[in-house]
Every structure is written in structure tokens, then in C-alpha cells.
Amino acid sequence: GLKLVLSQDITERERADTMRRDFVANVSHEIRTPLTVLSGFIETLASLPLTEVERKRVVDLMMQQAERMQGLVADLLTLAQIEGSPRPASDRWTRVDQLLQRVETDAAGLSRDRHVLQFDIETNGGACEIAGVESEWLSAMGNLVSNAIRYTPDGGEIAVRWTLQPEGGAVFSVRDSGIGIAPEHIPRLTERFYRVDGSRSRETGGTGLGLSIVKHVVQRHGGELRITSEAGKGSTFTLTVPAARVRMR
Ligand code: ADP
């Protein structure tokens, strides 16, 4: 009865509190680490006589840490924005040809010819649209592609596909021949700051927030994120996009 409901409420609130505390602790840790490294470099610059070459090396490393913090703040803002707006506007549509063109351009920029990139995209002469705003979809799809690039060694293959479903809706998938993910990690990948290998993720510029952003965007639009992977072989991330339409001209 009432007592049960109350105790459920309390556990619910306790869980939310714990989650918030964990989140703040995680964010603090993620910011403190690059800050500590940066302070160390500043001290080096200030106190040691360095050659021009050494000085340049230190400044490059400082830049990397600053970029890491910028990436983290950008991802945090994206998450806050998405979580803060309860439902996507139902009257906003995104043109798939423009969206996927951006995804492709960004992918080429990130890979810089280090991978074999394959795009298999049919957008019905530019007439295809999906429900939602472009920035959110770009963030979701862009995160999947940048992960594929970051977790695939040079020379590997990355295949991006867009398929309209005959029964309506569409599917966006990114398949890579990268390092893959052991099965026990897969269910936890979309948790904020969850990483299989923290050092590798950070080295490649990861914030640990990418897949939680992807999941949020997709769920808000009534779609799904599916992950299949084999350690050492590669992974496939698939987004289903329920509301797609082909605009009549
Ligand atoms: P990160 O910024 O660390 O990449 P994400 O939330 O995007 O954070 O991904 C969470 C973790 O999932 C990563 O740290 C990595 O261990 C794993 N992961 C994501 N995408 C891939 C992929 N394509 N191949 C292998 N592992 C991946």
C-alpha cells in the first residue's frame, strides 16, 4: 500500500542522488586530470631553460590537454541541452543528403586517409528527410563515425550505410574492422564515462560521453541503438530512425 509506494519513492530518489554524485565526481576527475598535467607543463615552461625544440614539444602537449578539456565541455553541453529539452519538436525535419554529406566530410577529416572509408548512401535524390533537428542527428552519427575511426588501427575499413526500410523508417550503420569490444562490456557502453580501456580512449581524444549522447538522441526520437562486436575483429553500431519520409515534389 502507501508504505510500499513511499519506500519505492525513497529508493528512487536515493538512486537519483547517487547517480548525480557519481556524475559530478566523474566530471571533476575528468577535468582535474588534464588540469594537473597542464599545470605541470606551465611550471616546466616557467622554471626550466628549454631549447626551442623542447619548448615547442611542451606547448604541443599543453594544446592537447586544452583540447581534451574543450571536448569534454562540448560533450557536457550537448548532453545538458538534449536532456533539458524533453521531446524533439515534431515539426522539425532534417534533410538526409545534407546531414550525411556532413558526416562524410567530418569522417574524411578525422581519418586523414588512414582508413578505407566506404559510404553506401541512397537518399532518393535528396528528397529524404528524418524527424528532428540536424545538430542532434549529426552529433549521434558523428560520434559513431569518430569512434569507428578512433578504435580502428590504420589501414582498417570503415563502412557507413544508410538504408530506407520498405516498411518506413531508416537505418544508419557504421561497421569497423577495429579493436572490437568483449561481450561483457557491451551492455554498459552507453553509460556516461564508461570506457573499456580508459587510457586508449583518452589518448585518442575520447571523453567517455559519446555513446551516452548517441543513445539519448536516438531514444528521444523513438529509435534504437544496437551494438554488435567481436573483440579483435571489429564492431557494428546501428541506429534505427523511425520517422523518415520522402518529400513529394
Ligand atoms: P569515448 O569518448 O571513450 O570513445 P564513448 O561513449 O564514445 O566514449 O564510447 C565508450 C567506450 O566504448 C569507449 O571508451 C570504447 O572503449 C568503446 N567503443 C566505442 N566505440 C567503439 C568502437 N567502434 N570500437 C571499439 N570500441 C569502441
Side-chain angles (χ1 to χ4, degrees), residues 217-236:
V217 170
V218 177
Q219 280 186 343
R220 271 158 64 71
H221 293 86
E224 246 183 83
L225 168 65
R226 288 194 216 117
I227 307 170
T228 56
S229 187
E230 209 179 320
K233 291 243 166 93
S235 315
T236 304

PDB file of all heavy atoms in Angstrom, residues 217-236:
ATOM      1  N   VAL A 217      19.973  10.813 -28.029  1.00  0.00           N
ATOM      2  CA  VAL A 217      19.391  11.363 -29.258  1.00  0.00           C
ATOM      3  C   VAL A 217      18.439  10.345 -29.878  1.00  0.00           C
ATOM      4  O   VAL A 217      17.298  10.666 -30.229  1.00  0.00           O
ATOM      5  CB  VAL A 217      20.496  11.739 -30.278  1.00  0.00           C
ATOM      6  CG1 VAL A 217      19.888  12.073 -31.629  1.00  0.00           C
ATOM      7  CG2 VAL A 217      21.327  12.906 -29.761  1.00  0.00           C
ATOM      8  N   VAL A 218      18.900   9.108 -29.972  1.00  0.00           N
ATOM      9  CA  VAL A 218      18.095   8.094 -30.647  1.00  0.00           C
ATOM     10  C   VAL A 218      16.812   7.809 -29.871  1.00  0.00           C
ATOM     11  O   VAL A 218      15.720   7.749 -30.434  1.00  0.00           O
ATOM     12  CB  VAL A 218      18.913   6.807 -30.840  1.00  0.00           C
ATOM     13  CG1 VAL A 218      18.061   5.733 -31.461  1.00  0.00           C
ATOM     14  CG2 VAL A 218      20.088   7.101 -31.729  1.00  0.00           C
ATOM     15  N   GLN A 219      16.937   7.680 -28.564  1.00  0.00           N
ATOM     16  CA  GLN A 219      15.745   7.373 -27.761  1.00  0.00           C
ATOM     17  C   GLN A 219      14.711   8.484 -27.839  1.00  0.00           C
ATOM     18  O   GLN A 219      13.521   8.223 -27.897  1.00  0.00           O
ATOM     19  CB  GLN A 219      16.144   7.116 -26.314  1.00  0.00           C
ATOM     20  CG  GLN A 219      16.685   5.715 -26.129  1.00  0.00           C
ATOM     21  CD  GLN A 219      16.960   5.374 -24.684  1.00  0.00           C
ATOM     22  OE1 GLN A 219      17.055   6.274 -23.833  1.00  0.00           O
ATOM     23  NE2 GLN A 219      17.101   4.107 -24.395  1.00  0.00           N
ATOM     24  N   ARG A 220      15.189   9.724 -27.825  1.00  0.00           N
ATOM     25  CA  ARG A 220      14.265  10.851 -27.923  1.00  0.00           C
ATOM     26  C   ARG A 220      13.426  10.811 -29.187  1.00  0.00           C
ATOM     27  O   ARG A 220      12.330  11.340 -29.237  1.00  0.00           O
ATOM     28  CB  ARG A 220      15.063  12.167 -27.974  1.00  0.00           C
ATOM     29  CG  ARG A 220      15.360  12.779 -26.657  1.00  0.00           C
ATOM     30  CD  ARG A 220      16.541  13.690 -26.789  1.00  0.00           C
ATOM     31  NE  ARG A 220      16.326  14.837 -27.669  1.00  0.00           N
ATOM     32  CZ  ARG A 220      15.542  15.859 -27.374  1.00  0.00           C
ATOM     33  NH1 ARG A 220      14.846  15.861 -26.264  1.00  0.00           N
ATOM     34  NH2 ARG A 220      15.443  16.880 -28.185  1.00  0.00           N
ATOM     35  N   HIS A 221      14.000  10.226 -30.228  1.00  0.00           N
ATOM     36  CA  HIS A 221      13.288  10.176 -31.498  1.00  0.00           C
ATOM     37  C   HIS A 221      12.583   8.841 -31.694  1.00  0.00           C
ATOM     38  O   HIS A 221      12.135   8.530 -32.791  1.00  0.00           O
ATOM     39  CB  HIS A 221      14.267  10.446 -32.642  1.00  0.00           C
ATOM     40  CG  HIS A 221      14.803  11.848 -32.623  1.00  0.00           C
ATOM     41  ND1 HIS A 221      15.900  12.206 -31.883  1.00  0.00           N
ATOM     42  CD2 HIS A 221      14.367  12.982 -33.232  1.00  0.00           C
ATOM     43  CE1 HIS A 221      16.129  13.502 -32.038  1.00  0.00           C
ATOM     44  NE2 HIS A 221      15.215  13.999 -32.845  1.00  0.00           N
ATOM     45  N   GLY A 222      12.526   8.052 -30.631  1.00  0.00           N
ATOM     46  CA  GLY A 222      11.804   6.781 -30.711  1.00  0.00           C
ATOM     47  C   GLY A 222      12.581   5.699 -31.444  1.00  0.00           C
ATOM     48  O   GLY A 222      12.008   4.680 -31.826  1.00  0.00           O
ATOM     49  N   GLY A 223      13.870   5.910 -31.636  1.00  0.00           N
ATOM     50  CA  GLY A 223      14.672   4.905 -32.330  1.00  0.00           C
ATOM     51  C   GLY A 223      15.461   4.049 -31.356  1.00  0.00           C
ATOM     52  O   GLY A 223      15.241   4.100 -30.144  1.00  0.00           O
ATOM     53  N   GLU A 224      16.380   3.275 -31.896  1.00  0.00           N
ATOM     54  CA  GLU A 224      17.137   2.335 -31.081  1.00  0.00           C
ATOM     55  C   GLU A 224      18.597   2.327 -31.497  1.00  0.00           C
ATOM     56  O   GLU A 224      18.904   2.539 -32.667  1.00  0.00           O
ATOM     57  CB  GLU A 224      16.608   0.930 -31.383  1.00  0.00           C
ATOM     58  CG  GLU A 224      15.910   0.233 -30.243  1.00  0.00           C
ATOM     59  CD  GLU A 224      15.513  -1.158 -30.701  1.00  0.00           C
ATOM     60  OE1 GLU A 224      16.369  -2.061 -30.647  1.00  0.00           O
ATOM     61  OE2 GLU A 224      14.362  -1.323 -31.149  1.00  0.00           O
ATOM     62  N   LEU A 225      19.474   2.050 -30.537  1.00  0.00           N
ATOM     63  CA  LEU A 225      20.895   1.860 -30.839  1.00  0.00           C
ATOM     64  C   LEU A 225      21.225   0.398 -30.595  1.00  0.00           C
ATOM     65  O   LEU A 225      20.953  -0.127 -29.521  1.00  0.00           O
ATOM     66  CB  LEU A 225      21.758   2.738 -29.925  1.00  0.00           C
ATOM     67  CG  LEU A 225      23.256   2.447 -29.911  1.00  0.00           C
ATOM     68  CD1 LEU A 225      23.890   2.745 -31.263  1.00  0.00           C
ATOM     69  CD2 LEU A 225      23.955   3.251 -28.817  1.00  0.00           C
ATOM     70  N   ARG A 226      21.782  -0.257 -31.609  1.00  0.00           N
ATOM     71  CA  ARG A 226      22.167  -1.665 -31.439  1.00  0.00           C
ATOM     72  C   ARG A 226      23.664  -1.807 -31.635  1.00  0.00           C
ATOM     73  O   ARG A 226      24.237  -1.163 -32.510  1.00  0.00           O
ATOM     74  CB  ARG A 226      21.446  -2.556 -32.460  1.00  0.00           C
ATOM     75  CG  ARG A 226      19.984  -2.699 -32.143  1.00  0.00           C
ATOM     76  CD  ARG A 226      19.372  -3.846 -32.945  1.00  0.00           C
ATOM     77  NE  ARG A 226      18.014  -3.440 -33.304  1.00  0.00           N
ATOM     78  CZ  ARG A 226      17.594  -3.269 -34.542  1.00  0.00           C
ATOM     79  NH1 ARG A 226      18.406  -3.495 -35.566  1.00  0.00           N
ATOM     80  NH2 ARG A 226      16.353  -2.895 -34.785  1.00  0.00           N
ATOM     81  N   ILE A 227      24.270  -2.633 -30.817  1.00  0.00           N
ATOM     82  CA  ILE A 227      25.724  -2.800 -30.890  1.00  0.00           C
ATOM     83  C   ILE A 227      26.052  -4.276 -31.021  1.00  0.00           C
ATOM     84  O   ILE A 227      25.599  -5.088 -30.218  1.00  0.00           O
ATOM     85  CB  ILE A 227      26.399  -2.250 -29.608  1.00  0.00           C
ATOM     86  CG1 ILE A 227      25.962  -0.803 -29.334  1.00  0.00           C
ATOM     87  CG2 ILE A 227      27.920  -2.354 -29.723  1.00  0.00           C
ATOM     88  CD1 ILE A 227      26.391  -0.269 -27.981  1.00  0.00           C
ATOM     89  N   THR A 228      26.800  -4.621 -32.052  1.00  0.00           N
ATOM     90  CA  THR A 228      27.334  -5.974 -32.121  1.00  0.00           C
ATOM     91  C   THR A 228      28.842  -5.841 -32.309  1.00  0.00           C
ATOM     92  O   THR A 228      29.304  -4.918 -32.972  1.00  0.00           O
ATOM     93  CB  THR A 228      26.763  -6.791 -33.294  1.00  0.00           C
ATOM     94  OG1 THR A 228      27.010  -6.073 -34.498  1.00  0.00           O
ATOM     95  CG2 THR A 228      25.275  -7.028 -33.153  1.00  0.00           C
ATOM     96  N   SER A 229      29.591  -6.742 -31.692  1.00  0.00           N
ATOM     97  CA  SER A 229      31.032  -6.586 -31.773  1.00  0.00           C
ATOM     98  C   SER A 229      31.730  -7.899 -31.455  1.00  0.00           C
ATOM     99  O   SER A 229      31.162  -8.777 -30.792  1.00  0.00           O
ATOM    100  CB  SER A 229      31.497  -5.512 -30.788  1.00  0.00           C
ATOM    101  OG  SER A 229      32.868  -5.260 -30.987  1.00  0.00           O
ATOM    102  N   GLU A 230      32.943  -8.009 -31.941  1.00  0.00           N
ATOM    103  CA  GLU A 230      33.770  -9.148 -31.600  1.00  0.00           C
ATOM    104  C   GLU A 230      35.158  -8.604 -31.300  1.00  0.00           C
ATOM    105  O   GLU A 230      35.740  -7.893 -32.134  1.00  0.00           O
ATOM    106  CB  GLU A 230      33.810 -10.110 -32.774  1.00  0.00           C
ATOM    107  CG  GLU A 230      34.015 -11.554 -32.356  1.00  0.00           C
ATOM    108  CD  GLU A 230      34.033 -12.481 -33.572  1.00  0.00           C
ATOM    109  OE1 GLU A 230      33.234 -12.277 -34.494  1.00  0.00           O
ATOM    110  OE2 GLU A 230      34.880 -13.383 -33.575  1.00  0.00           O
ATOM    111  N   ALA A 231      35.668  -8.939 -30.114  1.00  0.00           N
ATOM    112  CA  ALA A 231      36.981  -8.420 -29.727  1.00  0.00           C
ATOM    113  C   ALA A 231      38.029  -8.820 -30.761  1.00  0.00           C
ATOM    114  O   ALA A 231      38.070  -9.958 -31.206  1.00  0.00           O
ATOM    115  CB  ALA A 231      37.356  -8.947 -28.346  1.00  0.00           C
ATOM    116  N   GLY A 232      38.819  -7.854 -31.175  1.00  0.00           N
ATOM    117  CA  GLY A 232      39.886  -8.126 -32.128  1.00  0.00           C
ATOM    118  C   GLY A 232      39.453  -8.117 -33.580  1.00  0.00           C
ATOM    119  O   GLY A 232      40.288  -8.146 -34.484  1.00  0.00           O
ATOM    120  N   LYS A 233      38.149  -8.108 -33.834  1.00  0.00           N
ATOM    121  CA  LYS A 233      37.657  -8.194 -35.206  1.00  0.00           C
ATOM    122  C   LYS A 233      36.993  -6.909 -35.685  1.00  0.00           C
ATOM    123  O   LYS A 233      37.133  -6.508 -36.839  1.00  0.00           O
ATOM    124  CB  LYS A 233      36.629  -9.338 -35.307  1.00  0.00           C
ATOM    125  CG  LYS A 233      37.238 -10.720 -35.158  1.00  0.00           C
ATOM    126  CD  LYS A 233      37.040 -11.521 -36.432  1.00  0.00           C
ATOM    127  CE  LYS A 233      37.920 -12.757 -36.456  1.00  0.00           C
ATOM    128  NZ  LYS A 233      37.246 -13.947 -35.934  1.00  0.00           N
ATOM    129  N   GLY A 234      36.199  -6.292 -34.800  1.00  0.00           N
ATOM    130  CA  GLY A 234      35.504  -5.081 -35.207  1.00  0.00           C
ATOM    131  C   GLY A 234      34.103  -4.998 -34.637  1.00  0.00           C
ATOM    132  O   GLY A 234      33.653  -5.912 -33.946  1.00  0.00           O
ATOM    133  N   SER A 235      33.445  -3.883 -34.908  1.00  0.00           N
ATOM    134  CA  SER A 235      32.140  -3.612 -34.301  1.00  0.00           C
ATOM    135  C   SER A 235      31.188  -3.033 -35.334  1.00  0.00           C
ATOM    136  O   SER A 235      31.620  -2.428 -36.313  1.00  0.00           O
ATOM    137  CB  SER A 235      32.283  -2.580 -33.180  1.00  0.00           C
ATOM    138  OG  SER A 235      33.377  -2.867 -32.362  1.00  0.00           O
ATOM    139  N   THR A 236      29.902  -3.199 -35.044  1.00  0.00           N
ATOM    140  CA  THR A 236      28.884  -2.529 -35.850  1.00  0.00           C
ATOM    141  C   THR A 236      27.919  -1.819 -34.924  1.00  0.00           C
ATOM    142  O   THR A 236      27.390  -2.423 -33.986  1.00  0.00           O
ATOM    143  CB  THR A 236      28.110  -3.535 -36.730  1.00  0.00           C
ATOM    144  OG1 THR A 236      29.042  -4.247 -37.534  1.00  0.00           O
ATOM    145  CG2 THR A 236      27.118  -2.807 -37.633  1.00  0.00           C
TER     146      THR A 236
END
